[in-house]
Every structure is written in C-alpha cells, then in structure tokens.
Amino acid sequence: MKTSELTGKALNWAVQKAEGLDGWLAPVNYCGQWEFGGPIIERNLITIFRRDEEWYAYSSLSGTMDYHGDTPLIAAMRCYVASKLGDEVALPEELP
C-alpha cells in the first residue's frame, strides 16, 4: 500500500514496524495520540505545517518531503514511515 494512503490501524502498524517492532505489542495510537507520535516527531526533526485545508510534514533529518494528512499526526507519521520504510509498505493480510 502507498505510504501516503495509510490510515488508522494500518498506519499505526507501519509506525511500529518503522520503530523496529514486529507484530502488535500493544494497541498504540501513534497517529491519534500526541504522547505516542510526539516523541517520534521530535526525535526525527519532523516539521508540520498547514497549507490550505490539509496538514503537511517533512523531515529535515531524512529529507523526506511533503507527506500530507487530515491531521498533523497523520501527516507526520506518514512522513516518518516513508523515511524508514519507503513510499510503499507491505501490510499483513489482517490489516485493511
């Protein structure tokens, strides 16, 4: 699946994979809770900004550019996943 289209459980799974964790260790909502997504944003120097009606993110650490989403965390987590796993991610069958 394209990283730019990941949402919900699939995006959270991809973030966990990018963090080097395999499988579902705990139901962590990286793309919906700042206490989980925030440290990743800070550690990876991800900048989030709003343009028109959408949020965008880029990482000055990795050079990953212009990932967007409906919320700042979705944009930032897509950017993070792209920086670690690339523009496409192979999801497990049980994820939508």
Side-chain angles (χ1 to χ4, degrees):
M1 177 174 226
K2 290 183 179 181
T3 303
S4 61
E5 296 174 359
L6 291 171
T7 59
K9 287 182 181 180
L11 180 53
N12 288 322
W13 178 88
V15 172
Q16 201 166 20
K17 183 85 168 163
E19 287 281 274
L21 306 170
D22 285 332
W24 291 102
L25 302 177
V28 177
N29 189 1
Y30 296 101
C31 63
Q33 294 181 279
W34 283 96
E35 61 265 27
F36 299 118
I40 292 172
I41 292 168
E42 186 176 342
R43 190 173 62 240
N44 290 277
L45 304 177
I46 296 173
T47 300
I48 307 163
F49 60 97
R50 189 170 176 95
R51 185 183 324 148
D52 299 321
E53 297 298 314
E54 229 166 0
W55 290 94
Y56 286 80
Y58 73 91
S59 173
S60 55
L61 187 62
S62 69
T64 306
M65 300 289 289
D66 282 338
Y67 274 80
H68 62 277
D70 293 335
T71 69
L73 278 173
I74 290 173
M77 293 304 100
R78 286 175 175 169
C79 178
Y80 175 65
V81 169
S83 74
K84 298 292 185 180
L85 304 178
D87 292 329
E88 292 198 20
V89 177
L91 298 175
E93 286 183 23
E94 59 269 14
L95 286 174

